[in-house]
Structures are given as structure tokens and as C-alpha cells.
Amino acid sequence: MGAPDVDVTASTEWWRGLNQAKATTRPAGEAEALIAEHLRWYPKADVALLARAYAVADHLHREQKRKSGEPFIIHPLAVATILAELGLDTATLVAALLHDTVEDTPFSLGHLAAEFGTEVGVMVDGVTKVDRSMYGSAAAGETFRKMVVAARDDLRVLLIKLADRVHNLRTLQFQPPHKRVKIAKGTRELLVPLAERLGVYKLKRELEDLCFEYLETEEFEHTRERVARVRDETRYETDSVATALRDSLASFRVKADVDVRPRHLSSVFHSGSPLVDLGPSATVRYLVVVRGGEQNAYLALGAVHGRWQPIPAKFRDFIASPKYNLYKALHTTVVTESGRRVQIIICDGRAQQVSEYGIIAEIHERTGRDGRLVSGRTTDPEWLTRLLRWQEGASAEELLEGVRTDLADSITVLTVNGQILTLPEGSTPVDVAYALDNEIGDRFSAATVNGRLALPSAQVREGDTVQIITKAEPGPDRAWLESARTGKARVAIGAWYRTRAREKAEGDGRRAVAEYMGGDRRLIEAETSGDLIGAARRAGYVTLEDFYVAMGYGQVTPEDVLVPSPEEKPEEE
């Protein structure tokens, strides 16, 4: 939806209504639930500011409707409410209420920042789409780039985007079928992995299930029916395991809370277990939240393994080796007396909060009772820092393709110097080389994996030790593009070849001009005097290099440009 064609300065009524909205201090009835939820987290929050933001958004969107026919204001209010339920700070909720105003109304970013502050302005700008008329088919990629760059200043931009997509998916039934598929597919490819990287599993699970529903509708319905039946039929068995687990912890004098956590439908279906064979262990997990520090998690693990036989291959220690998204817990699978496999997750209270909220848990810790951030931002996550480094040289298409890969499941590998690298699954030694440095990648010659020579296209695996062997002169192989997995490697290889092609075109174009002008000496004279740059600029080229490149690519010929301009022609006698 584009901004209406409104002459703001001439619209007295529009300004009068906006000024009345800006003067609001009491919440409208529609916003009371949002404010009540925010006050539950932050009792001293600025209620008047939230009320004013809602009133301004309501006024700006008053003539707009959603596909469902409902007033548009329902959407930003829902987005803000989702974030309020996660415990986000006041400024984030204000930005959520106003996140569509700059894109869809005459309210400019300057107006918004002046009224609600730079902090809110940065977040709203970050989630505002770029102008499709300017970027055309590249708009989606450039919008994503804009959001990622904005996240460098404020990670909350990404949280607003996730909440925005959650509500859009909740109401996706009002879109035509082709748009449902497009939106759900884009969400699964980009935003679900983004939610996982941020550790916000509470949103990730809902996004996954909503995408599952729209992309695999029949399988979704079968899974929902089967899971409901299994849970109902095995409720007694599930409760018995929970009781036995509590007894085992008590016998080890471990103080902990035990909760039975239903697995979400997408997770159940994509786990690989046939639906007809589903047992209770495939539909639930047991969460043990110990009191005290992380050391008590290991005591709880001892209690669990003392009661039931563990399956060694299923044990993962994410406390000793935390995941990239701050997640820290022990995962173990045991076999109960009945022969059932049961998955148990053990963590402390803070880790449990992180497991649900991820980066939001850190925001909670930095937010005062008044709903304001009281300390500086945290360091950018490693994956975001890596993405920010290589996205600048990527086209919109390369960016989206690279992000789809880089945000997928990750592995960690080691260099012979002990450096730890996080890479997407399926990465190759070439990806390792470019992860170390673009120059190392460009000079890649060979590699060893765990002491053995490996092909450039070989896949490295979790825990592998990789040594990169380089050559003196740079020269990546174009064939590497077929197996390179990371966006950074693919963009760097493509950039190297584009640079070489441009250099060749520049040389070819300069030689063509020299030949047309009668030799290198005449060319140098024309370059020195400025005549040639004048001709190039009249043809629309800012620099001589651009002019020569266009000449080399055959986009223009010397005859097209190197002729006297009308004012330079001698007058006829």
C-alpha cells in the first residue's frame, strides 16, 4: 500500500486531527489491553506516550482497511501487543504502533522522529520498505538489506519485523492463494532462521507452524489430528514419566520444576517419524528447570541417568558449548521402563528465559521498571557481524540467496591455529578460506581436513580441523561457485571476476578510443586537456573509467561520442 496522494501542508483538517492525536494522554479503549500488558512487565512505564502513539497511528491509518475489511489500525496494535507479551520496552512498542505510518501515510520519517525521538525513528525506518518504483525487482532484497543495516544500530528492528510477520501470517487467509504461498515461503526461508538466530523460539515456533499450515495444508491437518489423538491416549503415561522424573530429582536433593512441553506441529512432522508410529515421546519433551546455578543442571542430569538408561548419541551439552543464539541447556534422551524414548531438557532459570526469548532476555535485563533501556546495547551477534561485512558487495539477488544459506543450520569447525568458525551446514574448504579473509579465499590453493587433503568442493563437518594452503597470486576458480555455501564466499568470488572483467573492458575500451583518435599520443593529449572527459560526460559518463568500460563492453562506440558537439562545429560561410 503506498502513501495517499495528500497535500499535507494544505490539509488543515488533516493537521488538526493529527495535532489532536498528538495531544492525547489517556489510552483509547482499543489500546487498554496493550497498556495493561506493558504495565505488567514495567509498572512505571510511560502510559501517556503509548496512548499518544496509538492515537497518532489510529488517526493516520483511519481511512485504510485490511484485506479482511477491518480497520488497518488493528495490525499495528496487534504487532505492538505481540511485543508487549514478550516484555519489550516502551520505545519498541511505540515503534511497532507507528511502523507502517511512514510507508503508508503522509507522515514523514522526520515528523515521526521529531515527535517520538530518534530511537523510535531508527526502528521505524529499519522496517519501512524501500520504494519499489525505484528498485523494481530488487526491492525485496534491498528492503532486507536496509533492515539488516538498521539492525547494526538497533537489533529491536528485527524483533518488530518478526512480530509484524507473525500477525500477517495469523491473518493470511484473507490473501489470495498465490500470495499466501509466496509470503509463507519467504517467511520459512528468511524469517524463521532469523528468529532462531536471535533465539526467539517463542516466535519461531509459531512462524514455523503457520508456514506449515499454508505450505503443506494436508500434512498439517493430518499431523494436528494425529498429535491430538496421541496426546489424549497417552496422557496417563506422560504424567507418570513426569512424576517419576520429579521423584528422581528429589532423591538427589535437586530442587527443580518439571514441565511437560508439547512439541509444535512443524517440529513433529519434520522430525522424520511416520505419523502412524507417533508415540508420546515424539509429541512432548520434558523440561527440567533447576534452581540455583548451572552446576545444578549436571546434578539433575545425574539423577535422570541414574533412573533411566541414556542413549549416548543423543546427549548434547549446550552449557559447556552454548549455541550461537545464547542457548544453554543439557539435552538427553533416555529409555524408560516401558521401552519408550523420552527427551529431557535441563537448564537453570535464566537459561530457560533465554531459550524462549533469546536476545529479548538481554533486553529485559537492560530495561528499568519505567520501560526504558538503562544501559548500552549488547555486541552484535557473530552471524550479524559476518552478514554486515559481506552484504555491501552483494547485489539484491546475491544478498537474499546468501542470507538463505547463512541463516540455515550451522556447524563449527577449527583452524589449525585453534580459531573457531561458525559456518552453514554443507560448507566447503573454500567457505572456510573466505570466512578467514577474502584475500585468503582469493589465494586458496588446497586444504587439509583433519590432516588429509580435501577437494575444494568437499563438505566439512562439525568439529573438523581445516588447514588452508594459499598460493602467491590471487585467482579463485569460477567452478567454486557451484559448491561454495556461504554468501560471503559466493559474493567475493563473483566480485573478483566482475572486477577482472571490468578491468579488461576498460583496457579494451581505451585501446578502441586510441585507435579511433589515431594513436596513444593523441589519446593522452585529449585526456590531459580535458576534452575527452568533456565528451564522456556529455554522453552521460561521470568518469573516463566508466566511459572506457562502456566502450569495452560494446555499449557505446567511438563514433557515437567522439564527434564535435553542435557548438563546436565551424560556422558555414
Side-chain angles (χ1 to χ4, degrees):
M1 181 186 300
D5 185 14
V6 175
D7 182 355
V8 177
T9 57
S11 179
T12 306
E13 183 179 351
W14 191 91
W15 274 110
R16 185 184 300 116
L18 180 60
N19 288 329
Q20 289 173 350
K22 291 190 296 185
T24 300
T25 57
R26 296 181 60 81
E30 298 85 352
E32 286 180 351
L34 164 67
I35 290 174
E37 178 63 21
H38 190 46
L39 289 174
R40 187 172 70 83
W41 288 85
Y42 306 107
K44 296 185 178 180
D46 188 346
V47 172
L49 179 62
L50 267 185
R52 181 157 59 93
Y54 174 79
V56 168
D58 186 34
H59 173 74
L60 293 172
H61 292 299
R62 67 186 342 182
E63 302 299 328
Q64 298 169 353
K65 301 286 186 182
R66 303 203 82 216
K67 291 286 186 180
S68 62
E70 297 173 302
F72 189 88
I73 189 60
I74 286 175
H75 172 64
L77 179 59
V79 173
T81 301
I82 290 169
L83 295 170
E85 291 168 349
L86 295 173
L88 267 298
D89 59 286
T90 307
T92 304
L93 303 192
V94 170
L97 287 168
L98 299 166
H99 79 273
D100 278 322
T101 56
V102 173
E103 183 179 333
D104 292 345
T105 80
F107 204 49
S108 71
L109 187 62
H111 283 133
L112 185 144
E115 292 296 333
F116 295 97
T118 303
E119 181 183 18
V120 171
V122 166
M123 287 188 272
V124 172
D125 186 37
V127 295
T128 300
K129 296 184 182 71
V130 300
D131 188 348
R132 182 170 291 276
S133 65
M134 181 181 298
Y135 288 94
S137 61
E142 294 304 331
T143 294
F144 192 84
R145 189 198 310 275
K146 183 169 177 276
M147 182 177 69
V148 168
V149 171
R152 177 172 51 197
D153 297 321
D154 200 323
L155 281 170
R156 293 173 294 175
V157 167
L158 303 180
L159 299 174
I160 295 173
K161 181 60 180 179
L162 290 175
D164 172 69
R165 185 57 58 90
V166 166
H167 185 249
N168 280 334
L169 285 175
R170 286 178 182 176
T171 56
L172 199 58
Q173 71 270 25
F174 297 108
Q175 294 285 355
H178 72 281
K179 288 203 71 174
R180 293 179 209 164
V181 171
K182 180 181 178 182
I183 293 170
K185 186 176 180 181
T187 301
R188 180 179 279 180
E189 291 179 347
L190 287 176
L191 296 186
V192 168
L194 184 62
E196 180 167 9
R197 290 288 175 169
L198 293 169
V200 190
Y201 283 91
K202 199 169 185 70
L203 294 183
K204 174 183 177 285
R205 288 191 291 267
E206 183 172 1
L207 287 171
E208 282 186 320
D209 276 355
L210 288 166
C211 291
F212 181 29
E213 180 178 2
Y214 284 102
L215 294 176
E216 299 153 293
T217 304
E218 186 175 338
E219 292 87 347
F220 174 83
E221 293 298 336
H222 288 166
T223 304
R224 181 165 61 179
E225 293 171 4
R226 178 61 181 163
V227 167
R229 188 181 308 118
V230 169
R231 286 176 183 163
D232 185 58
E233 293 172 351
T234 60
R235 192 178 305 279
Y236 175 79
E237 182 180 345
T238 300
D239 291 343
S240 297
V241 171
T243 299
L245 183 52
R246 293 186 184 99
D247 291 343
S248 298
L249 293 167
S251 68
F252 270 65
R253 297 183 179 180
V254 177
K255 294 182 178 180
D257 296 316
V258 175
D259 192 16
V260 180
R261 288 293 178 92
R263 292 181 66 181
H264 63 295
L265 299 180
S266 178
S267 173
V268 172
F269 179 77
H270 292 103
S271 66
S273 300
L275 291 181
V276 294
D277 297 333
L278 285 186
S281 59
T283 64
V284 299
R285 293 187 178 103
Y286 296 85
L287 176 65
V288 177
V289 181
V290 300
R291 297 168 197 168
E294 292 175 348
Q295 68 276 8
N296 289 341
Y298 292 98
L299 293 176
L301 181 68
V304 171
H305 288 178
R307 175 67 182 260
W308 295 302
Q309 179 67 38
I311 300 175
K314 296 290 186 178
F315 174 70
R316 300 295 299 273
D317 186 347
F318 293 117
I319 292 178
S321 301
K323 295 182 74 173
Y324 48 77
N325 57 13
L326 312 176
Y327 182 83
K328 299 174 74 175
L330 302 175
H331 286 212
T332 187
T333 299
V334 298
V335 180
T336 65
E337 295 87 348
S338 65
R340 296 280 197 188
R341 289 190 174 197
V342 173
Q343 184 177 356
I344 300 171
I345 301 172
I346 306 170
C347 62
D348 63 18
R350 185 183 186 281
Q352 193 275 326
Q353 288 293 306
V354 171
S355 73
E356 288 290 302
Y357 300 106
I359 196 70
I360 298 175
E362 288 195 1
I363 294 175
H364 288 167
E365 294 173 357
R366 297 187 290 118
T367 304
R369 288 170 59 83
D370 61 356
R372 297 185 182 185
L373 293 184
V374 293
S375 61
R377 61 166 294 159
T378 55
T379 304
D380 286 334
E382 185 272 339
W383 60 267
L384 179 60
T385 301
R386 187 174 68 243
L387 176 57
L388 286 166
R389 284 197 193 109
W390 67 259
Q391 62 82 26
E392 292 182 0
S395 67
E397 184 179 348
E398 288 173 330
L399 174 63
L400 289 178
E401 182 181 350
V403 168
R404 289 186 186 104
T405 301
D406 281 12
L407 293 184
D409 292 338
S410 296
I411 59 171
T412 55
V413 299
L414 303 174
T415 68
V416 289
N417 297 324
Q419 185 175 351
I420 300 174
L421 300 174
T422 301
L423 298 167
E425 284 187 352
S427 291
T428 67
V430 170
D431 292 303
V432 174
Y434 278 102
L436 291 169
D437 187 82
N438 277 7
E439 184 179 352
I440 294 174
D442 288 345
R443 294 193 296 114
F444 177 92
S445 175
T448 64
V449 178
N450 301 326
R452 295 186 176 185
L453 278 173
L455 294 171
S457 59
Q459 292 188 7
V460 296
R461 303 184 185 282
E462 177 72 30
D464 282 349
T465 298
V466 183
Q467 180 180 15
I468 302 299
I469 302 167
T470 58
K471 55 194 174 186
E473 295 297 324
D477 188 335
R478 192 184 293 273
W480 296 348
L481 286 170
E482 296 180 8
S483 56
R485 180 79 170 151
T486 60
K488 182 177 182 183
R490 297 181 64 82
V491 168
I493 295 168
W496 195 89
Y497 276 95
R498 283 195 297 272
T499 299
R500 302 292 86 74
R502 180 181 173 86
E503 289 173 352
K504 181 180 182 302
E506 184 180 343
D508 291 345
R510 192 171 188 275
R511 282 189 291 273
V513 174
E515 182 179 349
Y516 179 79
M517 298 185 72
D520 288 343
R521 191 181 71 173
R522 289 180 178 274
L523 173 68
I524 293 171
E525 289 175 354
E527 288 177 335
T528 304
S529 67
D531 290 344
L532 201 54
I533 185 63
R537 287 178 176 170
R538 284 194 297 273
Y541 300 98
V542 176
T543 67
L544 277 179
E545 289 77 10
D546 292 339
F547 172 62
Y548 291 145
V549 169
M551 196 77 67
Y553 281 133
Q555 297 168 350
V556 65
T557 66
E559 292 84 356
D560 295 333
V561 178
L562 301 178
V563 294
S565 61
E567 60 271 18
E568 293 172 335
K569 292 181 180 179
E571 294 183 4
E572 296 182 2
E573 294 182 0

